Amino acid sequence: MNLNVQHDIEQDCLTLQLGQHFDFSVHRQFHEACLGERKPSRSYVIDLGEVESMDSSALGMLLLLREHAGGDRAEIRIVNAHSALRGTLRVAGFDKLFTLH
């Protein structure tokens, strides 16, 4: 499985832990986990600790999540990204849209 989803009901925080590739192959799982018919959670954690590669569709999925979660009011943390992924996210301006840890 390319995506592990955990929901802390008490904190209403949805954590998505991605596998080696964050790309179009996880689009359906990503959509079902946090978009679709689901009401937005209070907060989200996107764990990129195992991700070795990410493509432009991954960036699009993150933007869709941000919009679904309330845009500027969204609380979305991207955690455990290795330095190359953090660099990609910064170049794309995602450090201004998401909290990067």
Side-chain angles (χ1 to χ4, degrees):
M1 178 179 265
N2 294 325
L3 178 65
N4 182 22
V5 181
Q6 297 174 345
H7 186 217
D8 179 338
I9 297 171
E10 202 171 292
Q11 299 295 319
D12 193 18
C13 178
L14 192 69
T15 299
L16 301 154
Q17 184 177 25
L18 290 123
Q20 288 183 325
H21 306 287
F22 186 14
D23 56 23
F24 191 74
S25 69
V26 298
H27 179 264
R28 180 176 296 242
Q29 290 174 293
F30 189 93
H31 189 273
E32 289 173 358
C34 56
L35 302 170
E37 300 296 317
R38 182 179 183 83
K39 119 179 174 11
S41 293
R42 189 182 71 72
S43 64
Y44 296 84
V45 175
I46 309 300
D47 187 343
L48 302 182
E50 295 181 23
V51 175
E52 295 175 4
S53 65
M54 182 170 71
D55 69 7
S56 61
S57 67
L59 300 177
M61 286 182 262
L62 291 172
L63 291 174
L64 287 172
L65 173 59
R66 184 175 187 272
E67 182 179 315
H68 176 75
D72 289 341
R73 297 181 320 276
E75 184 181 327
I76 303 171
R77 292 178 289 140
I78 299 174
V79 301
N80 299 324
H82 63 72
S83 62
L85 288 179
R86 278 196 313 272
T88 298
L89 292 166
R90 286 191 179 104
V91 166
F94 279 49
D95 57 329
K96 294 173 180 45
L97 301 175
F98 301 91
T99 303
L100 301 181
H101 290 284

